[in-house]
Amino acid sequence: MTRNPEFQRQLWLNWSPSLLAWSLGLSALVLALPLVLAPASERASYLGVTATAGLWMASAVYGSVLAGRSLAEEAGQNTWDWQRLSALSPWQMAWGKLLGSAVPAWMYTLWFALAVLFVSATWAGQAALGLHSVALAVLWGLGLQAWAMNSVLIGWGQREIPANRRRAALLPLLFLFFIPGPYLGRIYGSLLNGSERAVLWWGLDIGSKGMAYLFGALLLALGLLTLWRQLCARLDVRTLPWAWPLGLAASGFFVAGTLDAGLPALWKATAWIALAATAYAALQHVHSDLRSWRQVQWSASRGRWREMLQALPLWPVSWLLALAASLLLPLQPNAHEAGHGAGMVALLACLQLLRDGLILTGFALLAGRLRSPLAAFCMAWVVINIVLPLLALGLAGPGGAAAVQPAMALMFGDSGIPAIRDATAWVSLGLQLLLAAGWAAWIFRDRVLGFAHENG
């Protein structure tokens, strides 16, 4: 890592000998507060709580702000073009910025970690608990810092627009406090009181600490994959779209393990995670779809299949993953009727999302002719998915609503099993898919194939 030029650059920007003294002095002042304010009998416990809070504030919150600021300053100081001209790979830049930009935060983390270890080993008599607290703070700190950098890159949009550094910690804080919520609440409780409760993952009792390590490792791995992928795009480095489906599959595997319901839970979790990712990727990159599809057409016309895959938008990749998982769900051995119903629901969602994705692609290809393709799509989506089905419901009842919006067949079914038995919904969805595909193909012919013909 010391040979990484970006890491050396970040050290030169963020490290100074005075940082060592300032961080030690401020940390000592914070740690002195419980020694002065708390009663003599409770000083050890208050000191431990203060040290643990400072440890997490330094590694997770302060480190996330610094990591996000390192990328925001690249845009604000107009130095990002120099990064494109450098010989650094996206992987080198990701690790260099991740470890070097948060050096001040890691100095505070060091002093608070030493205090946690001291208190846990001497006064509390639980050295192992102190080691776990420090290791988890480092692991989660790195993961949240990676997501802070991702939040800044996501906020840039098509151009490198400086992001507000205070927003750099928003996404990591959501991960830290809101996303686990009641899902992992028992883990937080057992870590705070030092007890160990049974926590199963794929049938194995890994304990609350094991789940915390596993979730932190997943957070860091997905953050690094996302950061690497986004830096590839920002540095104009072409890469095959393997990181995106790998991250989605890993997320589905993790979630299914916590449900402890076997392979059907794996396919179900993967399908719905991939569907959500498909919608996000399609909306997030709508501004670049025209350029991407023109690059796909240009590469395919010259037989450069690798370049074609590199230029392919991400939403079809995750949609194919969702489709595969939906088809595998009812094919499991001994699958009961509810499993078949869940597979049918997932398949219906895949087809409806494909319809919406084709409509969105058609509007995206009209960039330059429409003032805002995304706004036009949002209006069309509301009309197709909300207004027209409600009108059909009032005029023709549930059958008419299901004919216009196939997902409404779920709401008016006469069976408790989530299966789609009405053929009207499937026929209607098939017709809608044909119409959406035809409209998108017509615009593709004009805006992509026509552009290629005009430009040779």
Side-chain angles (χ1 to χ4, degrees), residues 129-397:
L129 184 61
L131 288 173
H132 284 302
S133 299
V134 173
L136 286 172
V138 172
L139 178 63
W140 279 69
L142 284 172
L144 295 171
Q145 290 167 26
W147 280 105
M149 298 172 70
N150 288 325
S151 66
V152 173
L153 290 175
I154 292 172
W156 277 2
Q158 189 173 9
R159 298 180 180 179
E160 285 76 26
I161 301 174
N164 190 330
R165 70 183 61 178
R166 289 175 297 180
R167 293 185 302 179
L170 178 60
L171 187 59
L173 287 176
L174 289 175
F175 275 112
L176 185 60
F177 295 110
F178 296 105
I179 290 181
Y183 185 63
L184 296 176
R186 54 184 175 174
I187 295 177
Y188 291 133
S190 60
L191 285 176
L192 290 175
N193 58 33
S195 65
E196 189 69 23
R197 300 175 60 182
V199 178
L200 298 179
W201 189 71
W202 286 106
L204 300 175
D205 184 8
I206 62 175
S208 58
K209 295 183 181 66
M211 182 62 74
Y213 279 111
L214 188 63
F215 191 77
L218 177 70
L219 185 74
L220 176 58
L222 294 181
L224 288 174
L225 278 177
T226 307
L227 182 60
W228 172 80
R229 174 74 191 189
Q230 290 200 96
L231 287 176
C232 285
R234 296 295 173 182
L235 297 174
D236 297 327
V237 176
R238 295 292 184 179
T239 180
L240 293 175
W242 60 268
W244 181 251
L246 176 63
L248 298 178
S251 301
F253 183 76
F254 174 82
V255 172
T258 60
L259 299 176
D260 194 26
L263 283 179
L266 172 61
W267 306 131
K268 187 175 181 179
T270 303
W272 289 107
I273 290 175
L275 285 172
T278 300
Y280 168 78
L283 293 172
Q284 177 69 19
H285 300 97
V286 64
H287 60 272
S288 60
D289 268 10
L290 179 59
R291 182 181 60 184
S292 297
W293 285 112
R294 284 176 174 175
Q295 181 64 35
V296 168
Q297 186 278 333
W298 184 87
S299 301
S301 65
R302 286 159 177 78
R304 301 180 179 180
W305 307 115
R306 182 182 179 86
E307 294 182 5
M308 183 196 72
L309 291 176
Q310 291 173 347
L312 189 69
L314 287 178
W315 77 262
V317 178
S318 53
W319 181 85
L320 288 174
L321 177 63
L323 179 63
S326 301
L327 294 176
L328 287 172
L329 184 58
L331 298 179
Q332 296 304 304
N334 301 322
H336 46 77
E337 189 174 2
H340 288 283
M344 298 290 281
V345 172
L347 181 59
L348 178 71
C350 285
L351 296 179
Q352 287 219 164
L353 190 59
L354 176 61
R355 181 204 63 185
D356 294 339
L358 291 171
I359 296 173
L360 177 62
T361 300
F363 281 111
L365 295 180
L366 291 174
R369 295 183 179 177
L370 295 176
R371 177 174 297 181
S372 176
L374 183 58
F377 166 75
C378 291
M379 294 178 61
W381 188 91
V382 169
V383 171
I384 294 173
N385 291 278
I386 298 178
V387 177
L388 292 180
L390 291 178
L391 289 176
L393 177 63
L395 295 175

Side-chain angles (χ1 to χ4, degrees), residues 69-89:
R69 187 181 67 180
S70 68
L71 283 174
E73 288 180 346
E74 295 283 359
Q77 298 173 3
N78 297 318
T79 58
W80 193 249
D81 289 336
W82 291 102
Q83 298 283 17
R84 289 193 181 95
L85 296 175
S86 68
L88 287 176
S89 67

Side-chain angles (χ1 to χ4, degrees), residues 4-24:
N4 188 323
E6 181 61 28
F7 178 71
Q8 295 175 357
R9 174 174 171 264
Q10 292 296 327
L11 282 182
W12 180 77
L13 291 173
N14 297 291
W15 166 260
S16 64
S18 61
L19 174 63
L20 189 66
W22 275 105
S23 61
L24 177 58

